[in-house]
């Protein structure tokens, strides 16, 4: 399943956006050492399909058999890790159906993979080989906080900043680039927008959280800007191209 002795360097600032739409879901990103992988899910008749919409779901494409089972096999075959350097892989699960209902089904399914997952036990973080971060339609912090043991984390938004939310609940802040910036990856970004970008990064990093933009231009000029600005996870649909860009830095 996985060449654990791969000579490729890890791409610790790379995020595979809509990874399930690629030619080889999971493995394209894994084989290039991606830190973070994103998958959309919908709940239908008690099953978690890998899809953006219910009507677009395909037969036998579930989060379990497309992602979790394969990650678990790698985990077992690779001495308890996904990567040889023991870096935890982020699996960003973007929920497209009802938040609590979908979460309950997902949470029940995750019980089968507990020993590879990062989790919170009595307010302490136990780092695992895979860290599940829920995005999209998320359960509330209050809803998740009821349990003494938790195997998921939340992807936050700008509106979550300044609320004293622990990184053990919300390690990541994701922002819609197109709502914040008019720059679309051509010419140079304006001084005003560059200043705004810098302030956003500082604001997120002051809370010791990571920052990611979705909808940012997916080209070298944009990657250059995001990389040198200090963005933690660079969003891409171009797995090989971004990898080659980052490792040359």
């Amino acid at each position: 399943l996985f060449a654990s002795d791969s000579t490729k360097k890890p791409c610790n600032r790379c995020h595979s956006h809509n990874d399930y739409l690629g030619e080889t879901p999971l493995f394209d990103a894994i084989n290039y050492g991606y830190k973070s992988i994103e998958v959309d899910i919908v709940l239908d008749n008690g099953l978690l399909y890998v899809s953006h919409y219910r009507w677009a779901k395909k037969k036998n494409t579930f989060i379990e058999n497309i992602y979790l089972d394969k990650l678990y096999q790698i985990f077992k075959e690779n001495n308890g890790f996904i990567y040889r350097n023991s870096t935890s892989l982020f699996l960003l699960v973007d929920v497209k159906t009802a938040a609590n209902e979908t979460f309950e089904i997902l949470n029940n399914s995750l019980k089968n993979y507990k020993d590879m997952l990062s989790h919170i036990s009595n307010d302490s973080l136990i780092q695992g080989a895979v860290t599940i971060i829920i995005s999209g339609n998320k359960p509330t912090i209050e809803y998740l906080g009821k349990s003494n043991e938790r195997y998921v984390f939340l992807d936050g938004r700008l509106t979550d900043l300044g609320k004293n939310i622990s990184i053990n609940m919300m390690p990541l802040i994701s922002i819609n680039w197109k709502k914040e910036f008019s720059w679309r990856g051509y010419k140079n970004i304006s001084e005003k927008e560059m200043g705004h970008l810098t302030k956003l990064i500082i604001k997120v990093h002051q809370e010791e959280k990571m920052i990611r933009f979705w909808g940012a231009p997916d080209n070298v000029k944009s990657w250059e800007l995001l990389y040198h600005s200090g963005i933690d996870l660079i969003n891409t649909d171009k797995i090989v191209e971004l990898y080659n860009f980052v490792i040359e830095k």
Side-chain angles (χ1 to χ4, degrees):
L1 271 181
F2 175 63
S4 60
D5 60 347
S6 171
T7 57
K8 288 188 174 65
K9 296 179 181 178
C11 198
N12 289 326
R13 294 175 66 181
C14 296
H15 173 82
S16 179
H17 172 252
N18 287 345
D19 180 81
Y20 61 99
L21 296 177
E23 284 189 22
T24 313
L26 178 63
F27 293 110
D28 287 339
I30 284 286
N31 286 331
Y32 282 92
Y34 267 49
K35 173 68 176 179
S36 181
I37 294 173
E38 180 180 349
V39 53
D40 293 349
I41 63 168
V42 296
L43 176 64
D44 191 64
N45 290 323
L47 300 173
L48 298 171
Y49 288 87
V50 171
S51 180
H52 192 86
Y53 303 103
R54 276 199 182 102
W55 57 262
K57 70 184 188 297
K58 296 179 181 178
K59 186 177 180 180
N60 296 326
T61 55
F62 309 114
I63 190 171
E64 292 89 352
N65 67 325
I66 303 298
Y67 285 92
L68 296 173
D69 290 345
K70 292 171 182 176
L71 284 170
Y72 197 67
Q73 187 173 345
I74 294 169
F75 168 78
K76 288 294 188 181
E77 292 177 355
N78 203 34
N79 299 317
F81 298 102
I82 303 301
Y83 295 124
R84 288 179 66 87
N85 64 359
S86 306
T87 297
S88 185
L89 170 73
F90 294 158
L91 184 62
L92 196 70
V93 180
D94 195 343
V95 176
K96 299 300 183 183
T97 43
N100 290 354
E101 185 182 3
T102 308
F103 167 71
E104 289 299 337
I105 300 296
L106 174 64
N107 197 44
N108 188 57
S109 180
L110 292 178
K111 293 176 182 177
N112 297 316
Y113 312 94
K114 277 187 173 183
D115 50 340
M116 79 168 178
L117 300 179
S118 299
H119 62 281
I120 299 295
S121 181
N122 297 318
D123 296 326
S124 295
L125 171 66
I126 294 85
Q127 191 73 62
V130 177
T131 301
I132 304 289
I133 302 178
I134 300 181
S135 190
N137 297 330
K138 309 181 293 286
T140 64
I141 291 172
E142 293 73 22
Y143 191 89
L144 288 183
K146 294 176 183 177
S147 174
N148 288 328
E149 194 165 49
R150 171 170 50 83
Y151 286 81
V152 300
F153 302 80
L154 295 179
D155 179 27
R157 299 292 179 264
L158 272 177
T159 53
D160 292 309
L161 294 175
K163 295 182 178 179
N164 198 31
I165 301 172
S166 169
I167 59 171
N168 285 347
M169 174 64 75
M170 185 178 289
L172 174 66
I173 298 293
S174 295
I175 303 168
N176 185 345
W177 179 272
K178 291 175 182 175
K179 283 190 175 181
E180 300 295 325
F181 304 96
S182 61
W183 187 71
R184 295 294 181 263
Y186 307 103
K187 298 183 179 180
N188 293 320
I189 193 169
S190 69
E191 287 188 19
K192 181 180 179 180
E193 290 203 333
M194 187 65 220
H196 182 50
L197 176 61
T198 301
K199 287 178 182 177
L200 288 177
I201 294 169
I202 291 171
K203 196 173 182 180
V204 173
H205 285 173
Q206 281 177 339
E207 297 195 7
E208 299 183 344
K209 295 176 169 64
M210 295 173 292
I211 183 170
R212 174 185 74 99
F213 287 97
W214 79 85
D218 198 9
N219 59 36
V220 172
K221 196 170 185 68
S222 176
W223 301 339
E224 193 83 42
L225 174 71
L226 298 174
Y227 184 90
H228 289 292
S229 297
I231 297 300
D232 300 284
L233 295 175
I234 301 173
N235 222 60
T236 192
D237 294 313
K238 302 173 181 177
I239 289 174
V240 178
E241 292 91 335
L242 177 61
Y243 173 83
N244 288 335
F245 168 83
V246 171
I247 63 164
E248 289 174 1
K249 293 299 176 183

